Amino acid sequence: MNGWTHAEEPSPPSGGSIIDIEARTAIEQIIGALRQIGVFSPA
């Protein structure tokens, strides 16, 4: 297979016993940026 293959979009972080709001926000922003540039397969 040649060329680009779209990746599946990961779920935003959730759960866990320790909540790190800043890390979760950063991860969600990274996922959003990757979505905007077309890294993930269309839903």
Side-chain angles (χ1 to χ4, degrees):
M1 178 184 283
N2 293 328
W4 175 255
T5 301
H6 287 279
E8 289 188 32
E9 184 173 332
S11 299
S14 65
S17 58
I18 299 174
I19 299 173
D20 185 342
I21 299 298
E22 291 179 1
R24 289 175 189 248
T25 300
I27 292 168
E28 289 174 0
Q29 289 173 343
I30 292 167
I31 292 171
L34 293 172
R35 184 186 311 119
Q36 285 182 337
I37 63 171
V39 171
F40 302 122
S41 300

